[in-house]
Amino acid sequence: MSPRHDAAEHATPAPADPAKHHGVVDATWGTAIKATAHCLAGCLLGEVLGMVIGTALAWGNVQTMVLAITLAFAFGYSFTLIAVVRAGLGTAAALKVALAADTISIAVMELVDNAIIALTPGAMDAHVTDGLFWGALLGGFAVAFLITTPVNKWLIGRGQGHAVVHAHH
């Protein structure tokens, strides 16, 4: 008898999830960019809608910013909520996933964006028809994207943030 061995006998079993090593997820910049773009879409939609509504109704700066930030969180959470419900999660569980996945990302994005708007001379008093309004808003989100992407990479690398969502896709 010749000692014949199958390669499968000596193969090291692959880990259940090759991206995870000792509880840490191997987060790529591409994954972080996609997660941040997802966050940006919800924040931008909510923020623009809130600013447009508040400005059109001639609300004060504080009321307008509160509405814009509230809508940014609502739209940011809803994008994730809809995706994980479609993937088969119940509403209550999906809400927990959305809160876990998006809270820090949305908070950082909103903090940076609104700080830039507040610190841009004249931006708080600009009307939706002014270039300054859109320049401060979109410029703030561009900077917020650059700052939030490494935050999301860090969170994903620790199995948090959008890493929670990926378990349900």
Side-chain angles (χ1 to χ4, degrees):
M1 284 179 118
S2 73
R4 187 172 159 248
H5 301 290
D6 289 342
E9 289 177 4
H10 296 290
T12 305
D17 183 357
K20 292 184 179 182
H21 303 284
H22 307 292
V24 176
V25 177
D26 183 20
T28 65
W29 282 106
T31 302
I33 289 168
K34 287 178 188 175
T36 308
H38 175 266
C39 175
L40 176 68
C43 287
L44 187 60
L45 183 58
E47 185 95 14
V48 168
L49 186 59
M51 293 292 217
V52 168
I53 290 169
T55 303
L57 295 175
W59 286 1
N61 292 337
V62 173
Q63 296 90 343
T64 299
M65 286 186 88
V66 167
L67 176 63
I69 292 167
T70 300
L71 290 176
F73 272 91
F75 277 96
Y77 287 140
S78 69
F79 284 4
T80 298
L81 187 65
I82 290 167
V84 294
V85 166
R86 282 186 185 155
L89 222 55
T91 305
L95 183 58
K96 288 179 185 176
V97 168
L99 292 172
D102 294 331
T103 298
I104 293 173
S105 183
I106 294 171
V108 170
M109 183 134 335
E110 285 300 301
L111 178 68
V112 172
D113 176 59
N114 283 286
I116 289 173
I117 292 169
L119 295 173
T120 300
M124 294 298 292
D125 297 319
H127 193 270
V128 293
T129 58
D130 296 333
L132 180 59
F133 173 90
W134 294 104
L137 183 66
L138 298 177
F141 271 116
V143 173
F145 182 86
L146 295 174
I147 291 172
T148 307
T149 299
V151 171
N152 280 331
K153 185 177 187 304
W154 182 81
L155 288 168
I156 292 166
R158 277 140 192 83
Q160 300 171 347
H162 271 261
V164 177
V165 174
H166 294 293
H168 302 284
H169 282 288

